[in-house]
DNA sequence: TTGAAAGCGCTACCAG
DNA sequence: CTGGTAGCGCTTTCAA
């Protein structure tokens, strides 16, 4: 009575076999009605809970998935994690948290966890693959892994993401539409794919509008606020400072706005600023940040759905591209008169 | 060669017993040196990885812990999660993510996961306990659970947190020190313990300074930005509007600053604002937010350490109170001359 | 529709 | 120090 009941206990108590109890409780397998209810009732009465380890060992599945991000301290992932967690729960999966910290060894460890049976599948939000240099992709592609948000070069793992190029291009088009002709860009950490795509989108928009792309207008950032502040400073001290700055993420946009203010420049009066990601409270900034919004929760959910498919051995999932939206808020305005 | 090797395979290959292999690989148990290296080498050669489910079943531990938060979308938890994850990793544990969404049923589910052997212990960051009304605490206290950040009334579960009362009081003292005499407070969702403590800290500071505590100066919030904006509006329209507003969290402080600005009031020229939590990018606000900073990552690490102790059956851990720090930044300044 | 029995892969006990 | 061996608790054939 005090010990944890096992399936055998309830079988004994009811005079049926463990097999029947198992079938009744797991819902699978036909069990006659009278027996079924009796078993269910007894299980409830004894407060029976199946032992997951035993079940996992037998079924060779853990019913959990691994979600690996580059930096768990980055609020950017919050909504995505929320989406993943939600979809996982609905499908009966638990979510294991992985934090790669951009460390290849750590990433390799997480792959090992997959092989160990720690998790049945993995959602990767890091830009790299361990041992990728060895062209080991075929081996990896066989694992139930879905890539979200990031792009992994030279890999054809199923993935769900946004069109970073188009989103960046559209953001810059918005600035051009406001009459800006001097539009600078603070990139993410090049040569990462995501940063490159956003940068190329900026370039493309300028090019199609016949605007020059002076090299000094492309400042190489790293997604961090402080760096962006410094780079913004350099931009301001150019002989022809930009009237608009497009940042590869919101955090850098915050830094830029801060720095501009510090220099007594008005946003958007003197300089317009556009971010990317629409992180938590971006709209609560003052002025609210104009930025590219990604459907993060949906991306998380979609990634999890895709992973469920992959784990079911479905045919290789087609890459999914989710729509983005340019949120035009308070940090962008008409280009100032330059003379 | 293509199949996943098991312990038996490597035992056969080397002509030793599975038991020896197990001992050699798990580090425990003495194994003679020549054998040891041979086994290790063979394991590496075969790319052997132990099956976690089997191990878990046998050892009756899952080597993972469950971390349950109220709302995984809230950036407030980020650093704490990071701390937990770090400490867990170092101790060889994985972290399972739980999101209670303030739903008692969900919370109960997570407790069940503990009993199921899904996890060996749990770090709870929700303010409630399932079935607590039934006075079931003795049963729960027996489970390896550590409460972090939150306080659970009528429970003596081990916990690590901050002194919300003192931190709030000190924040308000800071405002009083700046000459403010009309200091309002926007509370969290009362009657939750944390909100109450912060509110009481505010009251205590006013009382000890001999300042009045007009009931209209206590506005009941819910930690949300929008609500705080509205409440700030009410405050502004009082016949005697406050010259300082202490908010129970940063998000509400953002809302307040926003609303004040919208009304053409200067922060901190006309009104000073203090937040609580020091969330991500609070210092990047303009002006940077004066707020109470909690050592969130340390809290996470401490909670995990404490949990490790509890899981080891250590004597009930003493509650741990971590220090807070009032970060005096740009949203607080001398009280304006009221006449 | 139910029961018997064979493991899943590992660890830990008990002998030697 | 090493080997034999008995399970951990569950699911799932295979027969009845």
């Amino acid at each position: 009575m005090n010990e944890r009941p096992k399936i055998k206990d309830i079988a004994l108590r009811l005079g049926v076999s463990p097999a029947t109890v198992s079938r009744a409780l797991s819902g699978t397998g036909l069990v006659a009605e009278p027996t079924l209810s009796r078993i269910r009732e007894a299980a409830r009465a004894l407060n029976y809970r199946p032992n997951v380890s035993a079940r996992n060992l037998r079924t060779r599945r853990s019913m959990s998935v691994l979600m690996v991000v580059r930096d768990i301290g980055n609020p950017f992932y919050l909504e995505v994690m929320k989406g993943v967690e939600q979809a996982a729960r609905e499908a009966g999966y638990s979510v294991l948290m992985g934090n790669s910290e951009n460390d290849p060894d750590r990433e390799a460890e997480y792959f090992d966890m997959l092989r160990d049976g720690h998790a049945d599948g993995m959602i990767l939000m890091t830009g790299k693959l361990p041992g990728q240099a060895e062209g080991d992709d075929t081996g990896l592609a066989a694992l139930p892994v879905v890539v979200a948000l990031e792009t992994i070069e030279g890999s054809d793992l199923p993935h769900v993401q946004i069109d970073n190029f188009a989103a960046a291009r559209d953001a810059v088009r918005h600035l051009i539409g406001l009459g800006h002709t001097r539009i600078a860009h603070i990139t993410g950490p090049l040569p990462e794919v995501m940063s490159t795509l956003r940068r190329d989108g900026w370039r493309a928009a300028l090019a199609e509008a016949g605007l020059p792309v002076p090299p000094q207008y492309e400042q190489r950032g790293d997604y961090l606020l402080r760096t962006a502040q410094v780079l913004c400073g350099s931009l301001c001290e150019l002989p022809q400072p930009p009237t608009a700055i497009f940042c590869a993420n919101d955090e850098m946009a915050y830094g830029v706005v801060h720095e501009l203010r510090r220099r007594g420049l008005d946003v958007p009066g003197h300089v317009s600023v556009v971010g990317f990601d629409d992180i938590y409270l971006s709209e609560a900034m003052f002025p609210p940040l104009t930025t590219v919004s990604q459907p993060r929760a949906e991306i998380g959910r979609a990634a999890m759905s895709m992973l469920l498919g992959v784990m079911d051995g479905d045919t290789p999932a087609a890459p999914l591209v989710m729509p983005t939206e340019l949120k035009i808020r308070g940090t962008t305005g008409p280009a100032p008169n330059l003379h």
Side-chain angles (χ1 to χ4, degrees), chain A residues 138-330:
Chain A
T138 44
L140 293 174
L143 289 173
V145 175
V146 166
V147 178
L149 296 172
E150 304 274 348
T151 308
I152 295 184
E153 277 176 297
S155 149
D156 51 357
L157 286 171
H159 59 267
V160 34
Q161 57 186 154
I162 58 163
D163 187 340
N164 284 284
F165 175 86
R169 190 196 51 204
D170 293 350
V172 177
R173 277 182 183 165
H174 162 63
L175 290 169
I176 294 171
L178 286 167
H180 292 273
T181 54
R182 300 190 194 158
I183 305 173
H185 177 45
I186 299 185
T187 72
L190 297 170
E192 281 181 13
V193 187
M194 191 189 289
S195 306
T196 308
L197 287 170
R198 292 180 184 178
R199 194 266 321 266
D200 291 348
W202 164 73
R203 284 188 182 170
L206 294 186
E208 74 184 11
L211 294 171
V213 189
Q216 319 90 287
Y217 272 21
E218 178 177 323
Q219 295 285 331
R220 183 166 174 165
D222 53 7
Y223 288 145
L224 297 180
L225 191 139
R226 302 260 179 243
T227 315
Q229 265 179 298
V230 176
L231 297 178
C232 176
S234 316
L235 246 17
C236 289
E237 277 154 21
L238 250 29
Q240 291 224 327
T243 62
I245 303 178
F246 168 54
C247 302
N249 77 344
D250 280 2
E251 189 167 333
M252 294 199 295
Y254 280 45
V256 163
V257 171
H258 218 278
E259 178 64 18
L260 291 171
R261 277 244 187 66
R262 208 184 59 75
R263 290 171 172 261
L265 292 168
D266 183 58
V267 177
H270 298 291
V271 183
S272 286
V273 177
V274 177
F276 203 116
D277 286 346
D278 195 20
I279 63 175
Y280 194 76
L281 296 185
S282 273
E283 61 175 312
M285 254 186 78
F286 195 85
L289 185 66
T290 294
T291 187
V292 176
S293 176
Q294 320 191 25
R296 284 200 293 280
E298 280 72 25
I299 290 176
R301 273 195 289 274
M304 186 63 212
S305 306
M306 195 177 269
L307 182 57
L308 288 170
V310 173
M311 291 188 304
D312 274 4
D314 286 5
T315 159
L320 199 56
V321 176
M322 308 290 281
T324 57
E325 185 189 355
L326 179 65
K327 299 269 190 188
I328 297 172
R329 298 202 273 241

